[in-house]
């Protein structure tokens, strides 16, 4: 039950992140600050795909692995970007949190599948 709640929380969070990434002027400016403006739309689409994959995983288990693994990788890249541009350490917390959460979901889902 806890795993399903975490999956739902992550899914909803990444729907919000993905939509913001695609449509928010703030995110346009953030991606310019990162030096990655050409990847903003791709990032938003990948966030939405990861979220939808997690939701489909409620019925088709392997999708949970794909979604959580992909989102964990996206968040790892987010951490690397923020370190590279020398952001303040507290700005790393959300990316680290969601990376760890998706790694947990991946591992717990892998155990359930096996």
């Amino acid at each position: 039950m806890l795993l399903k709640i975490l999956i739902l929380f992550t899914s909803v969070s990444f729907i919000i992140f993905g939509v913001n990434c695609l449509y928010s002027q703030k995110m346009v400016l953030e991606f310019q600050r990162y030096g990655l403006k050409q990847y903003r739309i791709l990032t938003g689409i990948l966030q939405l795909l990861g979220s939808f994959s997690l939701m489909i995983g409620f019925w088709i288990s392997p999708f949970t692995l794909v979604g959580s693994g992909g989102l964990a990788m996206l968040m790892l890249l987010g951490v690397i970007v923020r370190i590279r541009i020398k952001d303040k350490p507290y700005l790393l917390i959300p990316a680290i949190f969601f990376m760890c959460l998706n790694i947990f979901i991946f591992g717990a889902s892998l155990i359930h599948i096996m």
Side-chain angles (χ1 to χ4, degrees):
M1 182 65 170
L2 175 63
L3 181 60
K4 288 184 179 184
I5 291 169
L6 293 174
I7 290 170
L8 184 60
F9 171 74
T10 302
S11 295
V12 171
S13 297
F14 277 97
I15 287 173
I16 294 167
F17 297 152
V19 168
N20 278 331
C21 198
L22 292 174
Y23 299 108
S24 166
Q25 184 60 34
K26 180 182 177 191
M27 291 308 294
V28 169
L29 297 174
E30 279 293 287
F31 272 77
Q32 288 174 352
R33 186 173 74 85
Y34 303 153
L36 299 169
K37 68 179 181 176
Q38 70 273 24
Y39 295 108
R40 180 182 57 84
I41 292 173
L42 176 62
T43 301
I45 290 169
L46 290 174
Q47 289 173 337
L48 290 171
L49 287 173
S51 176
F52 296 143
S53 182
L54 285 174
M55 285 192 242
I56 293 168
F58 283 124
W59 298 279
I60 307 170
S61 297
F63 278 83
T64 304
L65 295 174
V66 172
S68 61
L71 291 171
M73 291 297 294
L74 264 178
M75 293 299 95
L76 174 61
L77 292 171
V79 169
I80 291 168
V81 166
R82 287 192 177 273
I83 290 171
R84 210 180 98 229
I85 66 169
K86 297 178 176 36
D87 262 353
K88 292 182 173 33
Y90 71 87
L91 293 173
L92 296 167
I93 293 170
I96 291 171
F97 170 76
F98 279 103
M99 179 183 68
C100 292
L101 181 56
N102 278 287
I103 289 169
F104 175 80
I105 292 169
F106 184 89
S109 297
L110 191 59
I111 290 169
H112 277 57
I113 290 174
M114 298 175 102

